[in-house]
Amino acid sequence: MAEYSSHVPGTFSWVELATIDQKAGVAFYRALLGWDVKDQPIGPTEVYSLFTLRGQEVAAAYTMRSDERQLGFPPHWNLYVTVADVDEAAKRAAALGAKVFCPPFDVMDAGRMVVLRDPAGAVFQLWQSARSIGAKILNEPGALCWSELTTRDTAAAEAFYTGLFGWTAKHSAPGAPMAYTEFSVQDQPSIGMMAMPAHMPASVPSYWMPYFQVADCDATAARAGELGAKVIVGPRDIPDTGRFAVVEDPQGAVFAVFKFAGA
């Protein structure tokens, strides 16, 4: 079990599904990952669906706002990084070339956040905790275990994120089948980066994607298909590391499932 009461700054600490059919999205992930759910009102007609394991919050879902749809955003997962001071971090991100979509703002008494787009085009969030630290379980089946950036400019992205968060980078060995960068927070690798595949349409921007740990990658991928999702990569082995699959949920949000080798 890997339960948390706080997160080290620079850690991905929360994931949030933005979807066009919240009821269907919640049902899909509950059936796939074994999550329970508790809904919190966030307006006269809207709710914020908190996914839980053992009663502990691990992720959330909400209905995409009209401004997101008007900008042409597809259903997607938002990934949040914990920081000690979101206002200061947002200023530093802007100085490093990020776009700040709006000034940092309070989320009731839960915490304070801001939405950023990195210099290579990937959108992510910063989180300064108050009542809510974010995910209270990580790195076990049903919880976030890895966060991965697919980017159109790996050099610019590495310079930005190491400058903003102090991540340390480890590059794949020369001659490796695919160039890949692992980032560590306080010597703990939990983040990856790869170049955008050549076959991806030019309209696809750089993006962050969550990996959820599972007990059986193949069985989970098969179950996702039964539930109406599309398996777009894998299941596939990563030598000496584990096995993964990339899935597009029935509404179009993309995520990955992962089983560690020997787990």
Side-chain angles (χ1 to χ4, degrees):
M1 295 183 182
E3 297 191 7
Y4 292 77
S5 58
S6 65
H7 294 290
V8 173
T11 302
F12 278 97
S13 57
W14 190 240
V15 285
E16 176 187 75
L17 175 67
T19 185
I20 54 175
D21 188 335
Q22 187 171 346
K23 183 178 180 181
V26 167
F28 170 79
Y29 287 98
R30 290 190 70 185
L32 185 67
L33 297 174
W35 289 338
D36 291 319
V37 67
K38 53 184 180 181
D39 288 333
Q40 291 189 345
I42 55 173
T45 60
E46 296 178 281
V47 297
Y48 191 66
S49 296
L50 288 165
F51 294 116
T52 65
L53 287 175
R54 303 192 303 276
Q56 302 295 315
E57 296 163 4
V58 293
Y62 71 93
T63 297
M64 287 179 64
R65 299 179 296 272
S66 60
D67 58 335
E68 292 179 290
R69 299 190 194 199
Q70 289 168 4
L71 288 170
F73 293 163
H76 60 277
W77 281 92
N78 295 318
L79 279 69
Y80 287 68
V81 181
T82 284
V83 294
D85 185 326
V86 74
D87 293 79
E88 189 278 331
K91 291 178 184 177
R92 190 164 70 252
L96 289 167
K99 175 179 174 58
V100 181
F101 282 99
C102 66
F105 59 93
D106 291 327
V107 183
M108 297 176 285
D109 64 343
R112 189 165 173 81
M113 67 170 286
V114 70
V115 181
L116 305 175
R117 185 175 65 206
D118 76 23
V123 175
F124 67 106
Q125 288 75 20
L126 302 181
W127 182 253
Q128 179 183 335
S129 65
R131 176 180 53 81
S132 174
I133 66 161
K136 294 181 180 178
I137 299 175
L138 296 172
N139 305 315
E140 66 173 71
L144 180 72
C145 66
W146 192 258
S147 302
E148 185 178 77
L149 174 65
T150 300
T151 180
R152 294 193 176 278
D153 191 333
T154 55
E158 180 174 333
F160 173 76
Y161 289 104
T162 55
L164 181 60
F165 297 125
W167 294 345
T168 55
K170 177 184 177 183
H171 302 106
S172 55
M178 181 185 75
Y180 196 81
T181 301
E182 288 185 359
F183 294 108
S184 295
V185 181
Q186 294 189 351
D187 298 322
Q188 294 297 316
S190 60
I191 304 151
M193 179 180 70
M194 60 181 285
M196 185 75 69
H199 68 269
M200 294 290 279
S203 59
V204 177
S206 302
Y207 63 91
W208 281 99
M209 181 178 70
Y211 280 61
F212 297 109
Q213 189 172 332
V214 295
D216 186 322
C217 179
D218 292 71
T220 303
R223 178 62 173 152
E226 293 169 0
L227 292 167
K230 179 181 179 181
V231 178
I232 55 180
V233 178
R236 181 180 297 173
D237 287 328
I238 303 173
D240 303 317
T241 303
R243 190 165 174 82
F244 79 102
V246 179
V247 179
E248 181 181 298
D249 76 19
Q251 285 71 51
V254 177
F255 65 100
V257 295
F258 185 82
K259 181 184 184 300
F260 284 98

